[in-house]
Amino acid sequence: MEENNQVKRNLKQRHITMIALGGTIGTGLFLTSGATISQAGPFGSVLAYIFIGIMVYFVMTSLGEMATYLPTSGSFSDYGSRYVDPAFGFALGWNYWLNGAITIAVDLTTAGMITQFWFPHIHAWIFSGIATILIFVINVLAVKAFGETEYWLATIKVITIVIFLIVGVATIWASLTGHNGNIDVVKNLTAGNHGFIGGVTGFVGVLLIAGFSFQGTELLGVTAGESENPEKSIPKAMNSIFWRILLFYIFTIIVIAAIINYKDPRLLNPNSTAVMSPFTIVFKNIGFALAASVMNAVILTSVVSSANSVMYASTRILYSLGQDHGAPKVFGRTAKNGIPVVALLATSIICFITFLTGIFGTQIYLFLVDLSSLTGFIAWLGISISHVRFRRAYVAQGKDLNDLPYKAKLFPFGPLLAILMTAAIMINLDPQQLFSPQWGQALATYAALPMFILLYFGYKWTHNTKIIPLEEVDLSREK
C-alpha cells in the first residue's frame, strides 16, 4: 500500500463527457421502464419520467456547482459534512454505499434476466455470476481502465438510444399514416383511463421506479475526484444535462409507450414470468427479429456497464468514509495503482449477498428496485440541502458568486423545488401498505428512511456534532 493512500486523477475530459452522456443509462431505462408503463399506463409513465426528470435536473446542477468548486471522490458525502453537519455527511455516505450495493445486485440480476432471451433453459444466476467477476476485474485495475471501459460502453449505449429513437419515431409515423397496421399507436397511448392506470395512486406508485432509471446521474460528482481537470470537464458535462434527460429518458419512454401496450405480458411487473426489455419488445413488435437480438445484446452490455459504474462510485464513497474516520481506516487505503481495493472487496461481497436474495422472482426484484430507489432519493435530497447551505455560506462569508467555476441554474428555486419534490415522493410512497397484509414488504421498502435517521442521530450522539454556522463553514478548496 502507498503511504498517502490517494486515488489518482487519471480520468480525461473524454472519459468524463461520455460517462456523463451514457454512463447512467442501464437497468432503469432498459428494463424497469417497462414496469412504469404496465403499472401506470402510457401517459402515467411519461408524466412520472417528466416529474422525476425536472427534479434530477436541479439536483445535478446543484451537484455540478459543488463538484467544480471542490472535486472529491467523497462527493456529496464530503459536502454534507463540510456544509451542513459531519453527522449528515456520515449518514449520506453510508446511505449511498448501501444504495450502490443494492443497485449492483439489481443490475446483476437483470443481466441474468436478459440472457434468458437466448438461453431460457439455463439458470440466469450463472450469467449474473460471470458479470460479477467481470466488473470486479475492471474495477480492480487502474482507474484509467475503468474510464476507457465506460467510454466505449457509454458510446455504444448512446448510439443505441439514437438508433432506437429514429426507428421508433419512423414506426409511430408509419402507424399514424396507415402504413403499419400491426401497431396501433393511438390505441396504445389511450389505453386504460385515457392513458392512465390506477389514477393518482398508480402515478405515485411508479415514481420510485422512474427514479431508479435516473439513478447514477450523481456519478458525475464522484468522478470529479479523479478527473484530470474538473474545473473544465464537469461544467462541460453539466451543460448537456437538460438535453440528456429530455432525449435519453423522456423521448424514449414516449416511444416505448406508443409502440407497446401496457398489458403486454413481457413487460416487467410483479406477475411477470418471462420478462423482456421494452427496447427488445419494440423491435420484435416491428418485425425485426435480428435487430431484437442485437438490441438485447447491447442492453446486456449496458446493464453490465451500469453495474460497473455503480461499483466504482460505491467503492469511492466507502474509501472516502475510511479516509474521514466515518468507517474503519482500512477502507481508506489504496493499492499502488490508486484503487481502494479493500473498499472494493467489501462492496463486492455485500452486493453479491444482496444479489442472492434477488434471484427468487420478479416480486423480490421489484422490492430491491424500490429500496435502491429510496436510498437514491435520500442521496438527492442530501445534495440539494448541501447546495443550499454551501451557497448561503458562500454569500455569508462575503465571497463573490462570479468567482464560482460553475453556477447552478435558478438558485434558490432549483434546489428548493428539488427538496420539496424529493421529500414529497419519499413521504407519499404508499403508507397505507404499512397497515395491510403486505406490511412486511412495505416496512422493508421504507427501511432506508429510519436507517438514515439512526445513522445521523447516532453519529451526532457519539461525536457531539452540530449544524455548522454559516460563518464557520469550511469553504476552502482543499480536501
Side-chain angles (χ1 to χ4, degrees):
M1 300 289 181
E2 285 189 315
E3 289 186 1
N4 62 1
N5 289 316
Q6 297 298 310
V7 293
K8 300 192 181 294
R9 291 186 175 275
N10 288 333
L11 291 179
K12 300 182 181 297
Q13 172 71 61
R14 63 186 181 88
H15 294 149
I16 299 295
T17 301
M18 194 50 69
I19 287 172
L21 278 174
T24 60
I25 300 172
T27 304
L29 187 61
F30 282 132
L31 184 65
T32 59
S33 57
T36 65
I37 297 171
S38 66
Q39 296 179 39
F43 286 153
S45 62
V46 171
L47 186 61
Y49 270 77
I50 292 174
F51 190 86
I52 299 297
I54 292 171
M55 182 186 72
V56 170
Y57 172 75
F58 287 121
V59 169
M60 285 304 297
T61 55
S62 290
L63 181 59
E65 180 172 300
M66 294 185 291
T68 309
Y69 184 83
L70 178 66
T72 165
S73 291
S75 191
F76 41 87
S77 174
D78 287 342
Y79 305 144
S81 295
R82 276 195 175 218
Y83 308 139
V84 184
D85 180 345
F88 191 66
F90 171 82
L92 278 177
W94 279 109
N95 169 80
Y96 192 71
W97 181 73
L98 174 65
N99 166 267
I102 298 171
T103 301
I104 297 166
V106 170
D107 287 338
L108 293 174
T109 307
T110 304
M113 287 182 178
I114 291 172
T115 59
Q116 296 297 288
F117 180 84
W118 302 293
F119 310 105
H121 304 299
I122 299 178
H123 291 299
W125 63 265
I126 294 175
F127 296 100
S128 298
I130 295 172
T132 305
I133 296 171
L134 179 62
I135 64 172
F136 178 83
V137 170
I138 293 172
N139 275 272
V140 84
L141 298 174
V143 69
K144 192 172 182 180
F146 165 81
E148 283 297 321
T149 302
E150 280 307 299
Y151 175 82
W152 292 108
L153 290 178
T155 300
I156 293 172
K157 285 188 280 188
V158 171
I159 293 173
T160 300
I161 293 288
V162 172
I163 293 174
F164 173 81
L165 289 175
I166 292 172
V167 173
V169 170
T171 301
I172 293 171
W173 177 257
S175 174
L176 293 175
T177 55
H179 293 90
N180 188 342
N182 296 325
I183 297 172
D184 192 335
V185 170
V186 175
K187 181 180 178 180
N188 289 340
L189 289 177
T190 57
N193 184 16
H194 305 292
F196 292 90
I197 307 298
V200 175
T201 303
F203 167 72
V204 173
V206 300
L207 286 176
L208 274 184
I209 300 175
F212 180 76
S213 297
F214 286 91
Q215 282 190 22
T217 49
E218 68 283 343
L219 172 67
L220 189 62
V222 180
T223 60
E226 292 176 80
S227 170
E228 282 186 344
N229 191 351
E231 285 200 16
K232 289 186 177 180
S233 60
I234 299 301
K236 186 173 181 180
M238 287 303 307
N239 288 334
S240 65
I241 184 71
F242 174 80
W243 300 109
R244 277 190 282 136
I245 290 174
L246 187 65
L247 180 67
F248 295 152
Y249 292 97
I250 296 173
F251 278 4
T252 297
I253 203 71
I254 291 173
V255 169
I256 292 172
I259 298 177
I260 305 175
N261 188 276
Y262 81 96
K263 289 185 177 180
D264 194 307
R266 296 167 293 182
L267 291 174
L268 178 66
N269 65 70
N271 301 313
S272 301
T273 55
V275 179
M276 194 177 292
S277 165
F279 285 69
T280 306
I281 296 172
V282 165
F283 279 99
K284 285 184 72 70
N285 286 359
I286 294 172
F288 294 163
L290 178 60
S293 185
V294 173
M295 176 62 71
N296 208 59
V298 170
I299 293 169
L300 179 59
T301 63
S302 299
V303 169
V304 172
S305 167
S306 176
N308 187 40
S309 297
V310 177
M311 179 70 83
Y312 166 85
S314 301
T315 299
R316 271 29 179 210
I317 290 291
L318 185 56
Y319 156 78
S320 181
L321 286 168
Q323 290 255 305
D324 295 337
H325 311 293
K329 289 183 179 180
V330 67
F331 294 125
R333 297 175 182 171
T334 63
K336 290 183 178 180
N337 61 357
I339 300 298
V341 177
V342 179
L344 175 60
L345 279 169
T347 306
S348 301
I349 291 169
I350 296 301
C351 81
F352 184 70
I353 293 172
T354 309
F355 154 69
L356 291 177
T357 68
I359 63 176
F360 300 109
T362 54
Q363 186 69 51
I364 299 296
Y365 177 84
L366 284 171
F367 156 69
L368 288 175
V369 168
D370 283 346
L371 181 57
S372 172
S373 187
L374 184 56
T375 54
F377 273 83
I378 292 173
W380 291 341
L381 181 65
I383 290 170
S384 300
I385 292 173
S386 299
H387 180 226
V388 171
R389 289 276 304 173
F390 167 74
R391 206 40 118 74
R392 290 184 62 197
Y394 198 86
V395 173
Q397 295 185 24
K399 294 183 177 293
D400 188 353
L401 292 175
N402 292 320
D403 292 336
L404 288 171
Y406 171 84
K407 282 199 295 185
K409 308 293 190 297
L410 299 179
F411 184 90
F413 172 79
L416 291 177
L417 179 65
I419 290 171
L420 290 174
M421 293 174 75
T422 309
I425 293 170
M426 290 164 57
I427 292 171
N428 291 288
L429 295 179
D430 193 359
Q432 292 182 351
Q433 276 198 340
L434 291 169
F435 307 97
S436 71
Q438 290 80 36
W439 65 270
Q441 178 183 334
L443 191 64
T445 303
Y446 275 97
L449 283 173
M451 185 195 71
F452 181 85
I453 293 170
L454 285 172
L455 285 169
Y456 177 71
F457 285 105
Y459 191 92
K460 284 186 75 69
W461 181 68
T462 55
H463 292 81
N464 195 29
T465 66
K466 62 178 181 178
I467 295 178
I468 306 168
L470 295 177
E471 292 75 13
E472 298 177 18
V473 167
D474 181 5
L475 293 177
S476 64
R477 302 187 66 180
E478 294 183 3
K479 176 68 173 74

